[in-house]
Amino acid sequence: MPFSYPASRTRTRDKVLAGGTLSAARRSRIGWPTVLLLLAAVCMAGSPRLAHGGEDHPLDFTAWQHLPVFYNGRMMPLNTFARLTVESVCDRANPRLSLDGVSDAGRQIPAFAETEKMFPDEAKAFTASEMLFSWMVEPERWEYVPFLIAEHEELRKDVFNLPVRSLKGKHLKYVSPYDVENSKGFDRALRSLAEKRRGLPGKNANLTSAERAVEQLYQAYMTYRSVSYDPFRDEPRKFMEALTAAADAWNASAQAWVNSREALEAVAPDIYGDDFDGQIEGVRGSIAAVGEVSKSGSVDPREAERLLAETARQAGSLAAQADQGMKEVFAGKCPPAVSEAQWKHLRNQSHIISNGAAELVVAVQQAQLTLYDSQKALRLLPGLNPAALEKNRDSEDDAQPWVSLETVLFSGDDVYRTFIRPDLLRVDGAPISPAEGMTRLEFLQQLASEGNPARKERVAFAEAAAAYLDRGAGDRAERFYSAMERFAAELRALGESIEPARTDLALRHPDEKLIEVTAYPPPGSTDAEVHYYRLDPFLWSWVLSFLALCCLAAALGAIRSPMYWTGMALLIAGQVFSVYGFVLRTYITGWAPVTNMFETVVFVALVTAILGLWFALSPLFGPGLHRAWRMTAMPGTPESGTLDDEDLAMMNAGTWTGIRAAMMIPRAGLVYYVFHLLTQVEYGVGTGYAIIRLLPRGASMNDQVVWLVGLSMLAMALWLVPRLVLTAALGVVTLPWSIYQSGLGNLLQKAMDRKAFAAVGAGTAFGVGLIAYYAPIWDANINPLMPVLRDNFWLTMHVLTITASYGAGFLAWGLGIAAMAYYVLGQYRDPLAPSPAHVAQGHRPAHGYQAPPESFHRRVPEQCVSLSGFIYKAIQVAVVLLAAGTILGGLWADVSWGRFWGWDSKEVWALISLLIYVGILHFRFTGVLRDFALAAGAVFGITSIVMAWWGVNFFLGSGLHSYGNGAGGGWFVLGFTAFNAAAVFAGAIRYLSETGGAATPVPAESRLPDGAMPKPQ
Amino acid sequence: MARLQLSSPDQPLPIRLLLALYEVLASVYLAVSLLLLLAFVLAWATFVESWYGTEAVHFAIYDAWWFSALLGLLGINVLCAALIRFPWRRYQTGFLITHAGILVLLVGCIYSAVAGIDAQMPIFEGGINHLAFEDTRHFELKIYPDQSADGSYQVIDVPFASGPFNWADYEHRPFFPWRLGHRDQGLICNQNGVQLKVLDCYRDWTDPAVKPLTIRAAVPEKGSDELGAFEAVELEVRTMGVGQRGGPRVSGARERLSSGVRFVFWVAQSRAESEAFRLTTPDGPLGELGQIVLYARGQVFRFAVDELKPGGRLPLGETGYEVEFVNSSPAFLGLELRIHPPHGESQRMILFAEVPEFNVQATDHGVYGSYWIDAGSAAARHMAEAAESLHNPSEPRIDVIQTGEETLLYRVWQSPQMAEVGDLPVGQHVKVSLERSQRTMEFYVETFEPHQQPGIRIVPQPFDKDASPSMKAPQALIELTVDGNTETFWLESQHSGQMDSPPSETQRRVVIGNDRRVEVTLVPDSVDVGFHVYLDKFQRKLDPGTSMASHYSSLVDFVTVKMDPETKEEVRDETIEEGVLITLNEPITRTDPGTGRSFRMYQEAFRGPFKPGGEDGVYDAKLGGRVLHRETMPRDELFLSWLTVNYDPGRGLKYFGSMMIVAGIATMFYMRAYFFRRHSSGHTRTTQ
């Protein structure tokens, strides 16, 4: 265990915790000390991963982790499902558990010895997927193990009456399912919570932290119960719901039948006769019989399975007849004795009956399926569930296209045949139920040996379970590995064999798209996601940015170019990791990765770093790119006319024209390609519109103008985009050329002068990336995107641009903070009196030749001057991106909802940010306070971006951009703002006091040499 | 850039002042102040939205005049800043394009705000609509002249902006000049003797279930003069006929003392009804089938039911009105009449002798009636045996009504004659001599909670920003005067989702004037888009594995309509364009042939699916037993689709302005002239 605390340090830390000063830190996922330790670990070992506990034979869970699972509307590897589940149960994905907090009642049970074997080294760090597996195969042992999150002190003490610390002084975070079930205090707390919630329907009740902890624990408990659902013991909630739905559907039919039996019989006697009445009666009896079995709150699945099969048969036949009857009635003519209104009513009655019967069939099927299924079941196989594959399926119910592990393992052959494998061979013998006191493993083994031998995946799973539980056995790892491999292979075979049967299902309106996306995925489809979580690229990204910051800071202190270049390399490497992370996320989800808060935060970190790099390195590649740009100018245009000396030094005018003409050929191709992309290719799922339409939508003036604007934008894009692409391509040649021409050393020196950009970029990228990674207020997991937002070109453009502007804003902020540091700590300089030589060269000093001494002020530190130039550039970029992003947002809103601007909070804050940054630029123009104001503006301006970004969703909680809504982080943001204010305040005091009074100028010759570092005063 | 100075001391003072103003308006100091002020106001606005909701912030800030003024000033600033630099130099090209773009964008926004339409059109599958509803409302006054031969009437639409809160709440809301927002208060319409005043408005209200009237009454024991203990009678109003929209909706309460004395209570809907309550007392012998007493235009007319023949019409004096006797129902001691005005549509009237609280009056014509029958008559005895509640009709029945002024009136009916009629102030004891048993009973009103509408108490609810404003039907307290005849009442707004059915009793009122009557309703503003939309199919795609709808769309036809002679409903006639798909994020454009406005239609929301036999009953009411156009079998489910109908005349300008801003910034970068030239101060320049 390389990174556990030494005992003494643990105690000191707990003393601090007991003092209550670190309550906020406790709530975050990993405390700051751990972060720093982790960093150290990264430097030393290169791997942040915690190794497995002290087991002799580490098990290989790879096959298990890679199993495809269908959850929350998308396909994911089991690893991700396990992480999500375990995180909601234990509050972290890889919890470290021990038996310290086991209650006395738990310790007294005879099987506790077995439980102790789960923790051979007192404490054990579980990976999410192992934990999930363990829940599945030894649930009886987990009953007494504390692993449900209950960290809140009040919750432990007052509600559960449990200690906050163990005898060894360790902080206790968990309670066991046994504790939850048998605590009267928790029961009371839940009740009062429910009461409070009832009192404030539809609102966020102002819950205390203890109440939120109660709620979290309850969720954790329910999730655990749902995931480790035992069909033979647990309360079958979902099944009961399905049964109620069945009874309702039957009621609807039966009531309509009672109301209009005679009239219907007169119209269609061959259908609506005594036989039909008998069928309705028969179904009623069957449903009642199923109801009997499940009256006591628990249900015998085997018996229910038998009765439901009969009910399904009856309901199917009733539905067929009712459908036939409805069709006859609707095809028939109004009898003469009946009024038109009555006839309409009668037709509707026949429709109600047939509709009720059809719904009944579905409900009974769901009841069959839900016998072995729970809300958050681990679903790892597509199933033959017609209700889930219908286009017109009910959005209210929870019919799932995939079946649960419980169904695969425990269902009787009837249900298995109905929903998984219609061609399963029948074998003799009654369905097997667990005997009293049997463990999960024993039951699994009994099913494997005595059940249908054709269900091979069950046999393999039982073997894997047996191997897993055979702790201490020498061949455990090998046995587990081979059984798990077999289980995965069997599942794959099954999943692939189900596909033809799914497409052949008799569905009224099959949802082709759904069937397609829920098909058993090809091998390897889940690898990327497992890889993503294993690699954790965004962790590497901020770690590398941090190291880059360290190097660049060192390079600032004393000019040491190795440090500088190491820093730059690290910074680039960090951003490569970020980009790789985005590529992975995009590959996994299939949409642009800027659609939840976590992704935008990481994206901003990336943009800040890239902008920092771009500005810092622009002396290096700027001239080259500029030359490439000029090479792509169209011959004959004014642009192509001017060739300066450097251009001509490169090659003669004729060659320039020749290259420019040659460039027209690829450019024409690119123009066509961009034209095709923008005007021919359909975007979105809808009706085949391209991004820009070549024809106006309507005849009105308005539509014509919009059309013209569209064409202008098209023209701009056709002019610019191909040229940019060509420029980038030509850069491969021109870049080395221009570096060669100007001399590398010279350029490097220029780049080094701009190292502030890189350092600030690295620092900001590190800070933002760290927040993205550790802030507990957003979800870093890959989640399905709100369907409305998928495949939306304008949305993607808008969000990318806006978040990029945030990045530029943050870069400006970082530069502003750096400038403030210099304003506070830097070396202020004496004013210069102009030397006659300067004047003779045409220099006109601001203070005039004969200025009195009081008109001379001390000058700000030298770095502040260059920094304010950098800030100006960063703010310019922020303004351009903000303006473009806001306009793109308006465009998207207009295209989607028909309003360009609706004063939505998010829109308004984007506008405020724009106004503030534009205001800063204009303010600089007034000349008041000059460079200092620019830096102060950059520092304060970030507040508006933070509000637009975090505040609207997490603080104001209003408006249309609610898909990002969340809560928390308020104190952090307040602290951030206070820090900014303090920095500017400190800077202002020093700045005003230094430059406020008059000063005696020194002769120009005595100025400091360029590049000298200021010393703190 | 140097400060631009146009004014100089050698100019005449007015010119100097004007130029100085021009300089101020063009100054960058004003620009910075305005930008920061606007940023501050906007920030404040988002907080107001967070606290009070979207509607409130639009009311108080975004739609307020001073906010427009602020934007206008910014526009002037931008304009002047560009003009004052004339003649422009080459490097200013980007600056000019950008600033002109801002102006164009602002103008486009103003144009959209003034002339644009943003409305919603609800359509059921198989239904047709051509009206789109906006978030705003207006009063609709329909003036029916008595002498109109063809039943034509005049309509006055009075816009009504009510603001986001109950009116009482405007006084005590912090941080905000709410009163600067525009509300239509007080006299909002005064045309040819028709005056409409809005006295109060509740945006959110509730109907608390309380017993509105507690009467305590004491009756002496038989054969004694001593009053027994006072017994409480709590009268709780029950409403009948709510389920059928547009149908009669009556509400009343009745309770019986142990001694058999009955109390009946209902709420008068108008001043005339209170007047009629006093005056429509029986006179003379009642006959076997009793007497009806009608009140019209201040006069009273009595008819013996024995003499009426079904279908026969009798004039109501000189009023020009006629009453038609339709039939009687001896089983309920009720009869149906029709009141025929001189011109226009007749109205049904149903009168009950024993349950007057459920009478249906001819409110549209201001004709009110009572039906009196002798408890000793054969019909009355038969009825009394049949109905437990009418037990012992020989005991007196005391009718109490709440008048339009929220006071109480009572009358004591001691079959076969009216014993007393009078006012009933709260707390005042009333003595009633019971003639038959020679005793004197006594009663008084202990508590009284007035009803604002028949059967409904309207109590304002505290403001709740999370309450969905679109689902609330505001209530307005209005005073409508027609030819000097004033009625004051609460009126409930109709909801855009119900506009295909007639208004309910609480949503319309009629006030009678001289030779005319005025009907008032409060309805959402609507736009006739000029074409008829038939919803063929609503399609909804669900997200795999979740219950979220991932895409939804409406497949519509554009059609012409004709009137179905049987159902009197609009049905599709000819098809203009078939199978047009309106889907999320993919609007369609269609031009109103009448006005030339080009509307865009978006898929907004939907309700449903409604299923046959569903508890809501929507499917059965809208589609039950019907087969839709082009289909042979009925739909298994029915959807209601909400389309957004949008007309944005400033859209072109907004796009153009946006393009100019983008192009201007691009030009600035391209020309390397940035926003402004680098502004270096003297003591920094020397170091470089």
Side-chain angles (χ1 to χ4, degrees), chain B residues 393-662:
Chain B
S394 58
E395 286 296 333
R397 186 186 84 210
I398 301 171
D399 296 346
V400 180
I401 65 163
Q402 177 196 320
T403 69
E405 285 78 44
E406 301 187 352
T407 61
L408 295 172
L409 294 179
Y410 80 102
R411 63 189 182 192
V412 182
W413 167 243
Q414 274 192 298
S415 179
Q417 57 182 320
M418 186 63 74
E420 275 180 75
V421 181
D423 292 323
L424 185 60
V426 174
Q428 183 176 310
H429 287 243
V430 176
K431 287 191 174 138
V432 178
S433 61
L434 307 175
E435 284 180 20
R436 199 158 299 188
S437 51
Q438 303 290 314
R439 291 173 292 169
T440 302
M441 69 168 282
E442 208 173 304
F443 71 91
Y444 66 94
V445 175
E446 189 175 61
T447 60
F448 169 50
E449 303 267 4
H451 276 221
Q452 280 74 23
Q453 276 170 347
I456 298 181
R457 289 200 64 227
I458 309 169
V459 178
Q461 282 274 79
F463 178 72
D464 173 11
K465 93 178 166 77
D466 294 327
S468 160
S470 60
M471 295 314 288
K472 277 186 284 184
Q475 292 268 7
L477 178 62
I478 61 173
E479 189 184 287
L480 181 59
T481 307
V482 181
D483 304 331
N485 184 15
T486 301
E487 296 276 3
T488 306
F489 47 87
W490 284 92
L491 190 71
E492 185 188 339
S493 170
Q494 272 178 276
H495 188 260
S496 56
Q498 317 163 332
M499 292 302 286
D500 53 349
S501 42
S504 72
E505 291 290 305
T506 52
Q507 293 168 340
R508 70 185 273 275
R509 281 301 183 96
V510 173
V511 175
I512 314 285
N514 306 330
D515 307 328
R516 58 177 177 173
R517 58 198 163 85
V518 177
E519 180 189 303
V520 59
T521 48
L522 180 53
V523 294
D525 291 342
S526 60
V527 181
D528 185 344
V529 294
F531 44 85
H532 285 82
V533 190
Y534 171 88
L535 177 59
D536 188 25
K537 190 149 183 48
F538 175 80
Q539 297 161 337
R540 165 196 67 150
K541 276 188 201 154
L542 294 175
D543 202 30
T546 65
S547 52
M548 279 196 290
S550 64
H551 281 90
Y552 35 101
S553 42
S554 296
L555 192 62
V556 302
D557 297 344
F558 293 101
V559 296
T560 61
V561 293
K562 64 181 178 194
M563 192 69 86
D564 183 335
E566 263 181 53
T567 56
K568 298 257 166 69
E569 278 173 8
E570 285 184 337
V571 291
R572 60 184 288 164
D573 186 17
E574 282 169 36
T575 307
I576 300 172
E577 196 181 345
E578 210 165 42
V580 179
L581 189 73
I582 305 171
T583 184
L584 223 55
N585 297 345
E586 290 291 353
I588 61 152
T589 306
R590 192 155 184 95
T591 308
D592 175 356
T595 60
R597 293 189 288 202
S598 125
F599 287 101
R600 286 198 299 170
M601 304 183 82
Y602 297 79
Q603 181 67 54
E604 176 165 314
F606 69 94
R607 278 182 60 209
F610 305 105
K611 301 224 168 176
E615 276 173 29
D616 44 59
V618 173
Y619 183 97
D620 305 329
K622 290 282 172 192
L623 197 60
R626 264 173 65 206
V627 176
L628 292 184
H629 187 70
R630 286 197 295 250
E631 290 180 4
T632 53
M633 279 298 133
R635 293 271 168 91
D636 284 337
E637 48 187 23
L638 176 73
F639 284 96
L640 169 67
S641 175
W642 288 83
L643 302 174
T644 295
V645 177
N646 174 275
Y647 169 60
D648 187 354
R651 202 165 143 251
L653 287 176
K654 285 189 268 191
Y655 272 58
F656 198 72
S658 299
M659 187 184 72
M660 286 174 77
I661 294 174
V662 173

Side-chain angles (χ1 to χ4, degrees), chain B residues 245-298:
Chain B
R245 298 212 70 84
R249 174 192 156 120
V250 287
S251 47
R254 70 162 48 223
E255 287 296 333
R256 199 161 59 91
L257 291 178
S258 54
S259 63
V261 175
R262 290 157 292 163
F263 281 93
V264 174
F265 172 66
W266 72 93
V267 180
Q269 298 195 33
S270 64
R271 195 186 295 267
E273 188 173 357
S274 328
E275 183 88 352
F277 180 84
R278 285 177 196 272
L279 298 177
T280 54
T281 50
D283 198 18
L286 296 180
E288 179 59 25
L289 287 177
Q291 188 182 63
I292 48 177
V293 188
L294 298 182
Y295 167 96
R297 298 293 197 269

Side-chain angles (χ1 to χ4, degrees), chain A residues 182-205:
Chain A
N182 293 289
S183 159
K184 289 210 173 71
F186 188 65
D187 204 42
R188 266 197 304 276
L190 270 185
R191 271 175 217 281
S192 78
L193 193 65
E195 199 60 42
K196 195 164 176 181
R197 282 264 183 225
R198 238 199 314 281
L200 294 157
K203 278 189 188 171
N204 281 331

Side-chain angles (χ1 to χ4, degrees), chain A residues 249-269:
Chain A
W250 173 80
N251 266 336
S253 288
Q255 192 57 47
W257 173 241
V258 169
N259 289 347
S260 47
R261 176 179 176 172
E262 277 142 38
L264 284 173
E265 214 172 334
V267 178

Side-chain angles (χ1 to χ4, degrees), chain B residues 14-36:
Chain B
I15 303 277
R16 262 180 75 192
L17 285 178
L18 222 65
L19 287 173
L21 180 69
Y22 183 36
E23 279 165 22
V24 169
L25 284 176
S27 75
V28 72
Y29 293 96
L30 180 67
V32 171
S33 318
L34 281 177
L35 286 173
L36 295 183

Side-chain angles (χ1 to χ4, degrees), chain A residues 742-754:
Chain A
S742 319
L744 183 63
N746 191 10
L747 290 180
L748 287 187
Q749 189 52 50
K750 276 190 190 166
M752 298 266 279
D753 286 347
R754 296 175 151 227

